[in-house]
């Protein structure tokens, strides 16, 4: 919900209000969540195909125990979490959510091969080095993200922009945004600034979700209104701080635990984000992969062949955690 002055300006001039809101999104990282989070916020972190599958399984397991996360007042998704969040906010039935999570990343139905051309694994050493540089505190976070964005626009990706965006149009054939409050996160490749996409952004849902998933060096940056955007995980794999101001937050973080150096680097900001939520008076529950889920993940979160094991493990974990989550979610 807009603040009162913005509502008045919107009635007088829609274009002026849009410009004001856009500037807030770019200048104040995360302010989109300050005034409209409501009571319950669900934050879905990135984690590749395996993380997408695990989150879908956890959600399905909780649903089977009577906990409907689709009723959250705000759903925030980053990267793979943006995919799951868009489906959940659209009130996709649990069985369909599972089937979608089992489909290959190019959007083909379950049981059909991934149609992308095979390419050698990309060299992500630059990306890994820059993410580690963020840990040192040397230089601004945004300037380092801008360096990653410049690199992403310069290198040859495994999947071209046209192929990548087309796969999201297949995943989300309905271009309309969900009726419930849903946001997905990406980073402007030019200056490293945060971009929060929502139904008011005027961008087709599949394009916005694709921009949140455009992992530098693997997928080409996604062009929206003459700007190019990369994976929101470059800022944070969860971006949970954007939910500050809510009363209750549930965070799913599939990258917590896997023995994957890149995943650990992406997850770096989470502890600080949880403190931000707590300092704002928010009760927070964090769901991370248990031992069985970690075993189901395999060697990397990008392994498409581990979608089914990750779904199944997540489903069991969701059922097992239902009692604990119910106490939080019913407040």
């Amino acid at each position: 919900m807009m603040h009162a002055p913005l509502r008045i300006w919107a009635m007088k001039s829609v274009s002026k209000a849009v410009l004001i809101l856009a500037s807030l999104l770019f200048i104040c990282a995360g302010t989109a969540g300050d005034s409209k989070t409501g009571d319950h916020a669900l934050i879905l972190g990135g984690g590749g195909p395996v993380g997408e599958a695990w989150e879908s399984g956890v959600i399905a397991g909780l649903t089977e125990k009577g906990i409907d996360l689709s009723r959250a007042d705000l759903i925030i998704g980053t990267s793979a979490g943006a995919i799951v969040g868009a489906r959940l906010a659209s009130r996709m039935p649990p069985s369909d959510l599972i089937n979608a999570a089992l489909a290959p990343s190019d959007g083909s139905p379950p049981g059909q091969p991934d149609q992308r051309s095979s390419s050698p694994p990309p060299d992500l050493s630059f990306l890994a080095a820059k993410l580690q540089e963020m840990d040192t505190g040397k230089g601004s976070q945004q300037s380092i993200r801008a360096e990653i964005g410049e690199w992403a626009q310069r290198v040859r990706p495994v999947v071209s922009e046209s192929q990548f965006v087309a796969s999201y149009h297949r995943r989300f054939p309905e271009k309309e945004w969900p009726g419930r409050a849903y946001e997905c996160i990406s980073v402007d490749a030019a200056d490293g600034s945060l971009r929060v996409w929502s139904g008011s952004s005027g961008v087709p849902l599949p394009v916005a979700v694709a921009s949140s998933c455009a992992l530098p060096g693997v997928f080409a940056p996604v062009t929206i209104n003459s700007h190019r955007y990369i994976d929101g995980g470059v800022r944070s794999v969860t971006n949970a701080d954007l939910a500050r101001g809510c009363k209750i937050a549930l965070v799913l973080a599939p990258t917590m635990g896997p023995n994957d150096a890149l995943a650990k680097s992406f997850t770096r900001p989470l502890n600080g984000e949880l403190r931000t939520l707590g300092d704002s008076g928010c009760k927070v529950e964090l769901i991370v992969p248990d031992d069985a889920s970690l075993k189901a993940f395999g060697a990397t979160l990008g392994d498409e062949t581990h979608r089914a094991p990750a779904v199944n493990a997540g489903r069991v974990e969701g059922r097992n955690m239902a009692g604990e989550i119910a106490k939080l979610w019913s407040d």
Side-chain angles (χ1 to χ4, degrees):
M1 183 180 297
M2 296 181 185
H3 296 294
L6 289 183
R7 287 201 299 270
I8 295 172
W9 293 336
M11 293 172 62
K12 294 181 177 180
S13 173
V14 174
S15 61
K16 182 183 292 185
V18 170
L19 289 173
I20 293 171
L21 286 172
S23 66
L24 288 173
L25 286 172
F26 276 91
I27 298 173
C28 301
T31 55
D34 288 344
S35 61
K36 56 183 172 51
T37 51
D39 288 345
H40 295 71
L42 174 65
I43 298 98
L44 299 167
V50 172
E52 174 195 341
W54 176 78
E55 288 183 338
S56 301
V58 170
I59 292 167
L62 290 171
T63 303
E64 290 165 8
K65 292 294 185 177
I67 303 170
D68 184 3
L69 297 183
S70 71
R71 299 179 65 84
D73 298 298
L74 175 65
I75 298 174
I76 299 174
T78 300
S79 200
I83 298 171
V84 179
R87 292 168 178 161
L88 185 66
S90 299
R91 305 302 295 272
M92 179 179 280
S95 58
D96 292 344
L97 187 70
I98 293 297
N99 287 334
L102 293 174
S105 292
D106 75 330
S108 299
Q112 293 188 13
D114 190 321
Q115 296 176 357
R116 294 175 300 175
S117 58
S118 59
S119 300
D123 180 4
L124 300 181
S125 57
F126 177 87
L127 175 61
K130 287 300 173 182
L131 292 173
Q132 290 173 2
E133 185 178 337
M134 290 185 185
D135 287 337
T136 66
K138 297 178 180 178
S140 74
Q141 302 288 300
Q142 183 171 333
S143 65
I144 296 174
R145 295 196 298 266
E147 291 182 54
I148 295 173
E150 191 278 330
W151 173 78
Q153 296 179 81
R154 177 166 41 84
V155 299
R156 181 177 181 179
V158 176
V159 182
S160 70
E161 181 179 2
S162 60
Q163 290 175 314
F164 185 57
V165 173
S167 74
Y168 280 79
H169 280 288
R170 290 193 293 272
R171 286 181 179 219
F172 299 99
E174 300 294 333
K175 296 179 174 55
E176 293 76 16
W177 283 71
R180 302 194 70 82
Y182 162 72
E183 297 174 347
C184 62
I185 314 303
S186 62
V187 169
D188 192 314
D191 62 8
S193 59
L194 166 74
R195 188 51 158 110
V196 180
W197 303 105
S198 67
S200 62
S201 299
V203 174
L205 176 66
V207 179
V209 175
S211 76
S212 183
C213 299
L215 179 64
V218 179
F219 306 116
V222 173
T223 305
I224 301 175
N225 297 331
S226 301
H227 287 256
R228 304 195 76 192
Y229 295 94
I230 56 176
D231 197 313
V234 171
R235 178 183 186 266
S236 163
V237 77
T238 46
N239 290 293
D241 57 310
L242 302 188
R244 62 181 175 268
C246 69
K247 293 183 179 179
I248 295 168
L250 179 61
V251 183
L252 272 64
T255 54
M256 286 287 286
N259 188 25
D260 183 312
L262 194 60
K264 290 179 179 178
S265 294
F266 276 123
T267 313
R268 166 195 52 80
L270 179 56
N271 288 334
E273 293 167 5
L274 297 179
R275 286 194 297 272
T276 295
L277 292 177
D279 291 344
S280 73
C282 178
K283 294 181 181 178
V284 184
E285 184 71 39
L286 175 66
I287 300 182
V288 301
D290 59 16
D291 289 342
S293 292
L294 290 175
K295 184 177 180 180
F297 283 6
T300 71
L301 292 169
D303 190 344
E304 294 274 356
T305 65
H306 279 260
R307 283 181 177 271
V311 162
N312 293 334
R315 201 167 190 169
V316 172
E317 186 172 354
R319 292 176 189 144
N320 292 341
M321 293 201 66
E324 184 177 348
I325 300 304
K327 295 175 184 177
L328 176 82
W329 208 245
S330 60
D331 284 352

